[in-house]
Amino acid sequence: MSVSTRGTLLLLGLAGVLAIAGGAFLGWRTSVPETDVVMAAEQTPSPKERTGTDGMTIRLAMSAAFVSESGIGVYSRLAEYLTHKTGVQTEFISGLAYGTINSMLEEGTVHCGFICGLPYVMLRDTPRPAVRLIAAPIMKAARYGGKPRYYSDLIVRQDSPYQSIHDLAGKTYVYNDEISNSGYNLPRYRLLQLGLTKGFFGKVVRSGSHEESIRMVAEGEADASFVDSLVLDYDRQKGFGHAAKVRVLESAGPAGICPIVASNRMPEEIRESLQRALVTMHEDPEGRKILDEALLERFTLVDDSNYDDIRSMREAADKAGFTHIR
């Protein structure tokens, strides 16, 4: 286990207590037994817990990124920036699976997060939506056309003989997560479009992250993977990871980019404060530095319809009975 992972786990150990105390203070409903809420509420908050609006500490999670794991410090600096601009103490959490972050957003133990478009749709399209959109990034690279969109890039090793997706029949395919849009939903729809739904690959394995998928392809442990174009772009431009050892056969998409969402348990005034800070970030010198480091043009307000393409691709796969890549 890495130092950063241990730090994340320690932070998460505190998150449950903070969530209970914050929920009791703000009158939030939680799934925690009432006796536990009373005990937590009676504890004296630390100086850190007393900082920010109404003493809240906002936990900002990341399960889908506009930079790779190599640029994880960008999110910590962004959390510090939001603390400074809003007066609300903001802490950053990473290292958790997509589904775990979704559950925490539903429960209110995480208040907001950078999440993948498919997990957003899953949280939004319920009788009682668990999240609301705050904003979405617009990348600098020309391929994104100044819109809150991105792609899924099909990668193979630089020296591999493969020239098209059809050359991958019977090969080993690696993906990051079953509820990833770029790693699973978009690739599944692409295979559906091509009629490659009856056991096209010889072996399908799960990696747990786009970065690990890139490494596995680069080192010959897998033949191909569809990965988040933002992660690949970042590592290529910065010279990080294994991005230089792979090449792109094709790109699927575009689709709605990973948004920033707020749990419906977050007070509206705080959500609006975070939103203002993000969408004006490009106008602030300090904010501009963080955006430039992340290869970001700016954050923008975004409508739920930006994710309709993700919905339609998922529905098409479900209708065809092609729920699992194979």
Side-chain angles (χ1 to χ4, degrees), residues 115-161:
I115 68 172
C116 179
L118 180 57
Y120 161 71
V121 167
M122 294 168 65
L123 289 169
R124 177 66 176 79
D125 294 355
T126 62
R128 299 182 66 181
V131 297
R132 294 185 63 185
L133 290 167
I134 296 179
I138 292 179
M139 309 309 296
K140 285 185 174 184
R143 71 185 296 199
Y144 303 109
K147 297 178 180 179
R149 314 286 283 169
Y150 79 129
Y151 295 88
S152 179
D153 290 339
L154 176 59
I155 60 167
V156 296
R157 199 166 62 182
Q158 278 283 8
D159 61 357
S160 74

Side-chain angles (χ1 to χ4, degrees), residues 90-112:
T90 306
E91 293 179 343
F92 174 60
I93 298 171
S94 67
L96 297 175
Y98 288 35
T100 302
I101 295 296
N102 267 28
S103 296
M104 295 176 78
L105 284 165
E106 288 179 304
E107 296 162 359
T109 51
V110 158
H111 306 99
C112 53

Side-chain angles (χ1 to χ4, degrees), residues 11 13-24 46 49 57 59 91 109 111:
L11 175 57
L14 294 173
V17 175
L18 290 171
I20 295 167
S46 68
E49 289 174 299
T57 297
R59 286 169 297 286
E91 293 179 343
T109 51
H111 306 99

